[in-house]
Amino acid sequence: MLVLGPLGFAAPWVLTALIALPVLWLILRATPPSPRRVAFPGVALLQGLVDKTAVARRTPWWLLLLRLAAITALILAFASPVWKPVLHDRQDGPLLVVLDAGWAAAPDWAARQTRAAQALSEAAAQGRPAALLLGDGRTQEEPLRFAAGDSLLSRLRAAQPAPWGTRLPDDPDAVLANQPEGDLATLWISDGLDHPNRAAWLQSLAARGPVSVVPPRRAVQSLSLQGGDAPSLTVYETGDAAPAILAIGPDPQGIERELARLTAGEATTVAGVTTRPVSIDLPPELRNRIARFQIEGASHAGAVVLADDRVRRRKVGLVGDADSQAEGQQLLAPLYYLRRALAPSTDLVEGGLGDVLDTAPDVIILADQVQLTEIGELAEWVDAGGLLIRFAGPRMAAFDRLTEEPLLPVMLRQGGRDIGGALSWGDPRGLAPFAGDGVFAGLQPPQDVTVRAQLMAQPSPDLAARTIAALTDNTPLVTRDRLGQGQVVLFHVTANAEWSNLPISGLFVQMLDRLLSTAGTAAVEPRADQRQQPFWTAQSVLDGFGRAAAADDLAPVAAQDMAGGPGPGRPAGIYAAGEQIMALNAGGPMRIAAWPGAQVEQAAAGQGRDLRGILLALAAVMLALDAVGSALIARGGRIAALLLIAMAGLPSPPAQAQDLTPEAIRAADEVALAYVITGDEAVDEASYEGLRGLSQALRQRSSVEPGEPVGIDLDNDGLSVLTFLYWPVTEAQPAPTAQAYLRLNQFLRSGGMILFDTRDGDIAGLGGPDMSLALQRLAAPLDVPPLAPVPDDHVLTRSFYLLADFPGRWRGQPVWVEAPPAGASAAEGTPFRQLNDGVSPVVIGANGWAEAWALDENGYPTFPVGTGWEGERQRELAIRFGVNLIMYVLTGNYKSDQVHVPALLDRLRTEERLGP
């Protein structure tokens, strides 16, 4: 790097291009070439003439300087200038780049890769061997390979942050066994957190050579979940922000979105780490839909907490005898034990079965209940996915039709089994160990839990498959069976301490929690290798950026490894073992790393301020100004002024083509007829259908082939390419803007015609002071010439058809056009008529022509005109007037040739005498 004071150049060889600036000066200065002088006598005739488009003989000095400055800025930009660069002492020994690659490195991962690539490229340029150590925990205890730095760039670009914390190998000496000779210079790009083996690695690297540490650019945030009866979240961060926590999950339509926003509590700061508790205070229905919690604005796996059964709160319905009816002893009532076991972690609903079903619970528990009247509704609820848990008891044991009782997982024998009573043989039975792949896997039955009585199941081939807990003599204690999408579970003992001491043990609460966690979930078939020891299989996982990733190629994880949290082979995600679901989250408590003996780069200094973007932008601006200057010299001041106005963001002078829409351009290309959009849907539809019918008539009867009609918004659309504009007048139509009226006046002066149609049959009268108020309001700002009724010899009466009347849906009303001067005929010119080739810029009437021309999509008239044959004749004359009007607009005063006037008038009088 070349350093000139506070300015450094990473590619100083590019500056050699500055030598070419004098050559460029001579080339640009000589353009255009000077004219050659040749004596010619005839030049004397040109004296006094002024060249309106003079061309400069030489490039102006200010334009030349502008071009040279732009080229200089480009050369400096390509030299990679840096303001106040951070200079590193030149090292001769090998280089080791240690890149923390846990979830905490994800937020600015691209910047970390860039910094590591720069160090490796510099080492390659200096001929120093280099090695790259990724702290993602995947590196084996094998010696690193030192090679040219640029050969490691492909591996660096392919690296991604891991969905677990940064992990380094256990033995630094074994990994660095292949270190080349010389002091080892280490560049450690840290995520700012302390990790296992970090202190040992720092000590080993510091003993081998200098260690430079690049700290993170931003504060690190983490989110963790605390379970229990009232689960909550905790936010950890190295900064002082108070981020919001987003609860994300499917809405009632199944679309995943933000369901709630949680606010962090009071902050507590210890050793630089700020901790904030976050309460999950949400309704149960909303809380049970949450799929994950995430720190707002954070994009790494440590900021995401996947929700499992620790977050969800089930609604459980209890159905049984009231406590007051249980022989007056509340502590012996079955519901008392169930209530004490479930109240801390669920929402309980008690009452009759019908009342409980109306609350839409997740689980229903029946305590010694048989022969229920709502058994049909209960069966439908279970079939739809509900979990029914039943407890045996004296009532069920004494029921004489127990074999006919529905909603039982197994067939039961009538009467109970008394194991430890006075009249029984044998002692009370204990609990057998739970199956390793069952719902109770991992629970340890206490030795003091015994069963004195139970309901026995009828032997059957599938009894063992339906037994999920048994006694030491292999008789079923808890059985379960599937019913549709739901399941039925039966405890073969009572829910109180009458038949066993299970309800007064902690195991009873754990067993109920395990069963409730399966509510609404389908059973998972255990793998063959899970039957001896539980294995957890990934259902969905996260990558280091907190995004969902594929979990197909992950091997099952042993249960003892799950306790170590996320790591290689077990990324953060949702795991299942049999019917158990567990979320493995990456976030948790953090500790800020300390770096004794290492040189920590200042985050504010970084690598200096890169000036390439500023110089490139400056060069672009100067080149744009060069274009403006060139236009100013070559094309005159107006073009330059327009360019300057556009660059400055100022409003440009009004132009006719600048607001043309594709529809307006199509109208010009296809000679399409246009109408004014009034805002009244019925009127606009009638205008469109009317011009469509007139266009069809023109295609059939003349050589004019118009396209589909075009609606014009006067406030926004340009009119410069239009010829004819139909304007239906409505009372509620708002007046156009001042800019629109400027365009309308320019349209009238440049040969365009507006047909005003009040569509009221001239009820208000078009003449004099009684003219329609709406028409007066809309046409007042227009530069309209004096008007008069269409005279008999007007070109409009003979431009295509010979007409004496101009009916529409209505008839008998006058049509107004531009009035000729006093004493002149209709063909003689007024200022407007001379400008527009004899065409009146305005035609005003009240006959509702669009309704008479209108055709629907099938080609049938849309609106009635008159009655019978007379009405159809009136419609035909209206179409003929429309054809005459368009031919009049397109041909001008062609038909006003005075040579043909006498013959045409004679023919018109003859037709009037004979009738149509």
Side-chain angles (χ1 to χ4, degrees):
M1 175 177 287
L2 176 64
V3 179
L4 300 176
L7 187 63
F9 294 93
W13 58 270
V14 180
L15 297 178
T16 57
L18 295 175
I19 302 175
L21 288 181
V23 180
L24 292 174
W25 171 277
L26 295 177
I27 294 175
L28 296 175
R29 184 173 178 269
T31 304
S34 301
R36 186 165 57 94
R37 296 179 180 272
V38 178
F40 180 66
V43 176
L45 299 176
L46 303 178
Q47 292 182 355
L49 296 180
V50 178
D51 188 359
K52 297 181 179 180
T53 59
V55 178
R57 294 178 58 189
R58 294 185 182 277
T59 303
W61 65 268
W62 55 270
L63 185 59
L64 187 58
L65 289 178
L66 188 63
R67 292 174 178 176
L68 291 177
I71 295 173
T72 303
L74 289 175
I75 294 174
L76 294 177
F78 291 138
S80 301
V82 179
W83 183 258
K84 293 183 179 180
V86 177
L87 300 179
H88 302 280
D89 296 335
R90 179 179 178 85
Q91 303 289 335
D92 296 329
L95 172 68
L96 173 64
V97 176
V98 180
L99 181 61
D100 285 355
W103 57 261
D108 52 354
W109 182 251
R112 296 170 183 272
Q113 287 179 307
T114 301
R115 183 68 177 89
Q118 180 183 1
L120 293 175
S121 299
E122 291 178 356
Q126 298 170 2
R128 302 165 56 197
L132 175 63
L133 175 61
L134 294 176
D136 56 4
R138 299 187 179 99
T139 304
Q140 302 296 326
E141 300 293 337
E142 298 178 358
L144 286 176
R145 183 177 63 89
F146 284 80
D150 50 5
S151 66
L152 304 173
L153 295 180
S154 59
R155 180 186 171 209
L156 174 64
R157 297 189 188 99
Q160 293 292 325
W164 52 79
T166 297
R167 297 194 178 192
L168 297 172
D170 294 333
D171 189 357
D173 295 332
V175 176
L176 299 175
N178 290 339
Q179 174 191 335
E181 296 181 359
D183 293 339
L184 178 64
T186 302
L187 178 67
W188 194 322
I189 304 177
S190 169
D191 58 15
L193 302 182
D194 193 12
H195 307 292
N197 300 333
R198 186 196 63 84
W201 268 91
L202 178 60
Q203 183 179 0
S204 177
L205 293 175
R208 296 169 181 264
V211 178
S212 297
V213 177
V214 180
R217 296 184 176 182
R218 65 184 73 184
V220 182
Q221 297 175 327
S222 173
L223 185 67
S224 66
L225 173 67
Q226 284 70 43
D229 295 339
S232 62
L233 301 169
T234 303
V235 179
Y236 305 92
E237 60 178 334
T238 58
D240 55 357
I245 308 301
L246 306 181
I248 301 173
D251 60 10
Q253 286 74 35
I255 301 174
E256 188 172 90
R257 63 177 183 86
E258 176 186 330
L259 301 178
R261 183 181 293 260
L262 307 178
T263 304
E266 294 294 330
T268 302
T269 302
V270 178
V273 177
T274 302
T275 304
R276 288 183 172 87
V278 182
S279 175
I280 309 177
D281 189 12
L282 297 173
E285 293 80 3
L286 183 63
R287 193 158 111 181
N288 293 341
R289 292 208 309 268
I290 295 174
R292 71 181 188 272
F293 298 93
Q294 184 170 351
I295 299 176
E296 185 178 23
S299 57
H300 56 83
V304 177
V305 165
L306 300 174
D308 54 13
D309 292 327
R310 293 175 294 174
V311 176
R312 298 179 178 89
R313 191 172 178 90
R314 310 283 185 178
K315 180 187 290 186
V316 179
L318 297 181
V319 180
D321 295 333
D323 295 345
S324 59
Q325 298 175 355
E327 301 179 3
Q329 301 182 23
Q330 182 177 359
L331 296 181
L332 298 181
L335 292 187
Y336 173 79
Y337 291 84
L338 293 172
R339 192 183 302 116
R340 293 295 300 270
L342 298 173
S345 59
T346 63
D347 295 323
L348 298 179
V349 179
E350 299 186 37
L353 181 57
D355 298 333
V356 169
L357 284 171
D358 290 340
T359 63
D362 301 302
V363 182
I364 293 180
I365 299 179
L366 303 181
D368 194 19
Q369 299 292 307
V370 291
Q371 207 174 11
L372 297 171
T373 57
E374 299 90 348
I375 196 68
E377 299 178 19
L378 181 61
E380 294 178 359
W381 175 82
V382 174
D383 184 73
L387 170 61
L388 174 62
I389 301 177
R390 304 187 67 169
F391 283 86
R395 180 180 300 168
M396 183 177 293
F399 187 45
D400 56 356
R401 294 194 305 274
L402 185 59
T403 56
E404 303 174 5
E405 175 69 15
L407 296 182
L408 288 174
V410 294
M411 185 76 69
L412 297 177
R413 295 180 181 179
Q414 185 176 353
R417 174 195 182 193
D418 191 359
I419 303 175
L423 301 180
S424 65
W425 297 89
D427 298 325
R429 298 291 188 267
L431 275 61
F434 297 115
D437 57 354
V439 65
F440 302 132
L443 300 182
Q444 298 298 327
Q447 296 294 330
D448 56 349
V449 173
T450 58
V451 174
R452 299 183 300 276
Q454 67 177 136
L455 278 182
M456 295 295 295
Q458 293 281 6
S460 65
D462 57 354
L463 178 60
R466 297 183 183 183
T467 301
I468 58 178
L471 300 181
T472 53
D473 59 358
N474 291 326
T475 56
L477 173 65
V478 183
T479 54
R480 181 180 63 173
D481 191 18
R482 290 276 168 182
L483 178 61
Q485 297 297 319
Q487 52 184 326
V488 179
V489 178
L490 172 64
F491 278 78
H492 291 242
V493 294
T494 59
N496 58 7
E498 185 175 355
W499 286 9
S500 73
N501 61 354
L502 175 64
I504 61 176
S505 67
L507 179 64
F508 185 68
V509 179
Q510 295 175 340
M511 294 176 68
L512 289 177
D513 288 342
R514 288 287 185 90
L515 288 174
L516 265 58
S517 66
T518 65
T521 61
V524 179
E525 282 296 326
R527 296 168 52 98
D529 56 356
Q530 292 178 358
R531 300 187 181 278
Q532 300 300 325
Q533 183 180 13
F535 280 81
W536 294 84
T537 305
Q539 304 297 304
S540 62
V541 297
L542 302 177
D543 64 5
F545 297 101
R547 304 170 303 194
D552 300 335
D553 56 346
L554 291 177
V557 182
Q560 61 268 23
D561 295 335
M562 294 291 288
R570 53 179 191 281
I574 298 294
Y575 291 78
E579 298 180 29
Q580 303 178 51
I581 301 296
M582 182 176 65
L584 200 61
N585 295 308
M590 305 181 302
R591 289 186 302 173
I592 297 179
W595 303 98
Q599 179 183 358
V600 180
E601 293 183 359
Q602 296 297 324
Q607 292 301 307
R609 182 178 180 84
D610 193 347
L611 300 180
R612 283 180 298 179
I614 298 176
L615 289 174
L616 289 175
L618 181 61
V621 171
M622 288 189 289
L623 290 176
L625 293 176
D626 173 74
V628 174
S630 300
L632 180 63
I633 294 173
R635 306 288 299 275
R638 173 170 174 78
I639 295 179
L642 290 175
L643 290 174
L644 287 172
I645 289 173
M647 291 176 60
L650 301 176
S652 59
Q656 292 301 317
Q658 66 182 5
D659 50 2
L660 292 179
T661 62
E663 284 293 292
I665 296 175
R666 182 181 65 80
D669 184 50
E670 300 178 359
V671 200
L673 307 181
Y675 63 93
V676 174
I677 299 176
T678 64
D680 188 322
E681 294 184 3
V683 174
D684 294 341
E685 182 68 19
S687 300
Y688 173 78
E689 293 180 347
L691 296 187
R692 180 171 64 186
L694 180 57
S695 299
Q696 179 176 330
L698 287 168
R699 288 193 293 269
Q700 294 173 350
R701 307 183 185 194
S702 71
S703 61
V704 182
E705 297 183 355
E708 284 293 313
V710 175
I712 297 298
D713 184 354
L714 294 178
D715 293 338
N716 300 311
D717 297 340
L719 307 174
S720 60
V721 297
L722 301 179
T723 303
F724 173 78
L725 187 62
Y726 176 73
W727 192 335
V729 178
T730 62
E731 293 292 337
Q733 182 177 356
T737 62
Q739 188 69 21
Y741 277 116
L742 290 177
R743 288 196 293 266
L744 284 169
N745 285 325
Q746 182 64 24
F747 171 71
L748 296 176
R749 289 186 175 277
S750 60
M753 171 190 283
I754 300 178
L755 173 59
F756 287 98
D757 189 355
T758 60
R759 308 164 27 262
D760 57 358
D762 200 25
I763 296 175
L766 288 174
D770 295 330
M771 183 177 292
S772 170
L773 295 179
L775 177 60
Q776 295 182 40
R777 175 176 56 85
L778 295 175
L782 295 176
D783 191 3
V784 178
L787 302 178
V790 177
D792 293 340
D793 60 346
H794 197 275
V795 181
L796 195 56
T797 63
R798 58 182 185 275
S799 59
F800 195 86
Y801 291 102
L802 295 176
L803 298 176
D805 191 12
F806 313 106
R809 195 178 187 187
W810 322 111
R811 68 181 308 167
Q813 308 302 330
V815 178
W816 299 75
V817 295
E818 179 185 358
S825 66
E828 296 182 5
T830 64
F832 258 108
R833 295 175 62 80
Q834 293 175 357
L835 180 65
N836 297 346
D837 194 21
V839 177
S840 174
V842 175
V843 177
I844 301 179
N847 292 335
W849 287 292
E851 287 86 347
W853 300 333
L855 296 178
D856 60 16
E857 296 180 353
N858 299 319
Y860 295 103
T862 305
F863 299 93
V865 176
T867 57
W869 185 87
E870 289 295 334
E872 293 307 312
R873 177 61 180 171
Q874 180 176 336
R875 188 190 304 276
E876 172 62 23
L877 292 178
I879 295 175
R880 292 185 178 185
F881 164 69
V883 174
N884 273 21
L885 184 65
I886 300 304
M887 299 303 293
Y888 172 54
V889 173
L890 298 179
T891 62
N893 59 3
Y894 168 74
K895 284 291 186 175
S896 65
D897 190 347
Q898 297 299 315
V899 175
H900 305 288
V901 169
L904 292 173
L905 292 178
D906 290 342
R907 182 179 174 183
L908 181 61
R909 296 189 188 98
T910 301
E911 289 189 359
E912 288 180 349
R913 289 195 303 270
L914 298 177

